[in-house]
Amino acid sequence: MSLSAKFRLGVLGSGAGSNMVAIAHAASAPDYPAKIALVLSDVANAGILNQAASLGLPHRHIAPGQFRTKLDDAAEAAYIHALREAQVDLVVLAGFMRVLKGQFLRAFEGRVVNVHPSLLPAFPGLDAWKQALEHGVKITGCTVHFVDQGLDTGAIIAQEGTPVLDSDTAETLHARIHEAEHRVYPAAIAALALGRVALQGRRTHLRAP
Ligand code: GAR
């Protein structure tokens, strides 16, 4: 596949950036159908920006504005502008810890995905692996889903289960969920890039290649 034909990803993150690195690693294979066009973060010194710099990927900090859990209108417009300028086909949330509102979701309708560290609809919101441990479930995992106006409520694209071990702490459990995310997210993005994800109501299914 020629580089120009590749699906262009805009990756948004607030943290360490291990999912972005996993996607970049997958994208380094010549036959992977997508490439990272831009990495954006709301946190000036986020690991994801350092990782992007060391991978030679275009990256920028865009300040989130006045709120703690969402972008303000001006910031949201700046994110939209940067992603459009980079001609992004798909917005990939990878540990982006702010809720995106209507203006953003309308700008990229049906083209925003997220990875969440639980088997949704269980444990939406923050620190999902801790919620799972405290609840006492025996299996948790990760979910790749479309982003809608709700909190972690969009249609599910892919999931992988992770057993909870008796010996688990929040850290060991999150580490194994992270490993699952690093498998599932690049695979789901490839399926989206190839146009293989069909959505009917809330259900998605994979079209044959
Ligand atoms: C990941 O575990 C991701 O699922 C989670 O943040 C982590 C980011 O790790 N996202 C959420 O909790 C969103 N609600 P990373 O920065 O190393 O990719």
Side-chain angles (χ1 to χ4, degrees):
M1 177 174 284
S2 76
L3 258 187
S4 58
K6 289 201 177 198
F7 214 59
R8 296 173 66 81
L9 309 175
V11 182
L12 272 57
S14 311
S18 71
N19 277 287
M20 186 281 292
V21 171
I23 295 161
H25 181 74
S28 67
D31 59 347
Y32 192 79
K35 62 178 271 188
I36 296 178
L38 180 62
V39 175
L40 295 177
S41 182
D42 57 320
V43 178
N45 59 353
I48 192 170
L49 292 177
N50 298 330
Q51 296 278 19
S54 54
L55 290 166
L57 295 169
H59 59 282
R60 261 179 75 190
H61 165 243
I62 301 183
Q66 55 183 314
F67 303 117
R68 208 172 53 81
T69 58
K70 61 180 183 179
L71 302 173
D72 69 19
D73 286 348
E76 209 167 54
Y79 276 76
I80 293 169
H81 181 74
L83 292 162
R84 282 192 173 143
E85 207 170 51
Q87 299 183 326
V88 156
D89 297 302
L90 184 71
V91 179
V92 173
L93 307 186
F96 191 64
M97 302 314 277
R98 289 173 191 272
V99 177
L100 295 167
K101 304 188 307 294
Q103 177 189 199
F104 189 98
L105 297 177
R106 278 191 298 278
F108 298 99
E109 187 151 11
R111 296 190 292 138
V112 186
V113 293
N114 181 42
V115 66
H116 182 78
S118 74
L119 292 178
L120 290 170
F123 312 124
L126 288 180
D127 295 345
W129 61 94
K130 281 191 201 158
Q131 296 184 50
L133 203 58
E134 279 160 20
H135 194 90
V137 296
K138 300 299 183 190
I139 301 178
T140 183
C142 65
T143 303
V144 176
H145 63 94
F146 286 110
V147 175
D148 66 9
Q149 297 258 19
L151 180 64
D152 302 324
T153 52
I156 291 170
I157 300 165
Q159 293 186 301
E160 183 178 316
T162 303
V164 180
L165 308 179
D166 291 347
S167 57
D168 264 333
T169 61
E171 289 70 32
T172 60
L173 181 58
H174 192 200
R176 286 203 317 292
I177 293 172
H178 252 135
E179 286 171 18
E181 292 180 339
H182 300 163
R183 286 186 288 274
V184 174
Y185 213 7
I189 290 165
L192 286 157
L194 294 169
R196 290 189 57 203
V197 178
L199 178 64
Q200 276 180 318
R202 278 203 55 86
R203 296 185 71 182
T204 64
H205 64 265
L206 218 52
R207 289 193 191 97

